[in-house]
Amino acid sequence: MKDCIDDNLLTIVGIVVAIIALIIPIYKYLFDRKLQLQDARFKIYHGLIKSLVEPELQEENVIDEKTGQVCNKYGKMEDRQIATIFELRNFPEYFEITERILRKLKVQWEANPNNIHIINEIRYTLSYITTYQKWIYKFLRWTIILSPVTKWFVNTEIQRVKY
C-alpha cells in the first residue's frame, strides 16, 4: 500500500515538474513578445506624430526663384495629416498625450482657413478619445466578449457628433 502511495506521489511530482518546465518558457516567450509589441507600437506612434507635425520634403537644395538662395521644397501634406490624425485613434495607451498634442495643434492651425479639414478631423478624433474614455466603455473593455460591442457603441456615438 505504501509503495502504491509513493509511486503515485512520484508520478504527481513528475507531472507538476513537467508542467512547470513547460509553463516557464511559454511565460517567458509571451512576456518577451509583449515587450516587442509595445516597442513596435511605440515606434509606430512616434512615426505618426512625426508625420503629423513635420512637413513632407519633396526636393532638397532647390534654388528659390525669388531670393536665389538654396533651400528645401516642402509639399502640401493635408491628406497625410488627416489620415495620421485618424490613425491616432488606434493607440488608446497614448490617448492622454494624443489629446494634449491635438488640442495644441488645433489652436495653432485654426488661424489658417485652409486647415478646415484637418481641424474637423482633430475634432472627430478628440471626440472619439473623450467618448472612448468614459467609464462605461472602460468597464465594457474589460470583457473580451463585449469589446466589439464597446467599439460599435463608441463609433455610433461619434457618428452623432456634427461639426
Side-chain angles (χ1 to χ4, degrees):
M1 181 77 170
K2 186 170 172 127
D3 290 337
C4 183
I5 292 174
D6 289 342
D7 288 341
N8 287 340
L9 185 60
L10 284 174
T11 304
I12 291 171
V13 169
I15 290 172
V16 168
V17 168
I19 289 173
I20 290 172
L22 185 66
I23 289 175
I24 289 174
I26 291 172
Y27 174 77
K28 183 171 176 8
Y29 169 77
L30 292 175
F31 183 75
D32 289 345
R33 182 74 178 139
K34 180 181 176 186
L35 289 177
Q36 289 172 349
L37 290 174
Q38 284 176 342
D39 187 50
R41 287 183 63 80
F42 175 83
K43 288 177 182 174
I44 291 170
Y45 178 80
H46 284 276
L48 286 172
I49 295 297
K50 182 179 180 180
S51 72
L52 177 63
V53 296
E54 261 187 21
E56 186 173 352
L57 182 64
Q58 288 187 331
E59 293 181 52
E60 290 184 272
N61 301 326
V62 177
I63 298 175
D64 189 1
E65 296 171 1
K66 294 179 184 174
T67 62
Q69 295 180 342
V70 177
C71 62
N72 294 333
K73 184 177 178 184
Y74 293 95
K76 189 174 180 183
M77 54 183 206
E78 179 182 10
D79 293 332
R80 185 186 72 185
Q81 287 175 315
I82 289 171
T84 300
I85 293 166
F86 180 82
E87 283 301 317
L88 290 174
R89 298 176 187 189
N90 294 319
F91 294 88
E93 64 270 28
Y94 296 110
F95 274 175
E96 185 179 333
I97 188 67
T98 300
E99 186 174 5
R100 289 195 303 262
I101 289 170
L102 290 179
R103 288 191 191 285
K104 182 185 82 153
L105 291 174
K106 181 176 170 252
V107 169
Q108 287 176 358
W109 292 344
E110 275 181 327
N112 186 347
N114 295 333
N115 292 334
I116 189 69
H117 299 295
I118 295 173
I119 298 302
N120 283 339
E121 194 59 41
I122 288 174
R123 287 181 182 144
Y124 287 133
T125 299
L126 288 172
S127 177
Y128 181 90
I129 289 171
T130 304
T131 303
Y132 192 85
Q133 291 181 328
K134 288 183 179 175
W135 70 269
I136 186 70
Y137 299 120
K138 284 183 181 180
F139 172 74
L140 291 175
R141 280 193 309 275
W142 278 85
T143 61
I144 294 172
I145 297 169
L146 294 177
S147 185
V149 174
T150 304
K151 194 160 193 144
W152 180 80
F153 276 123
V154 170
N155 287 330
T156 303
E157 195 163 327
I158 296 301
Q159 296 290 330
R160 294 185 303 127
V161 177
K162 300 288 183 215
Y163 294 102

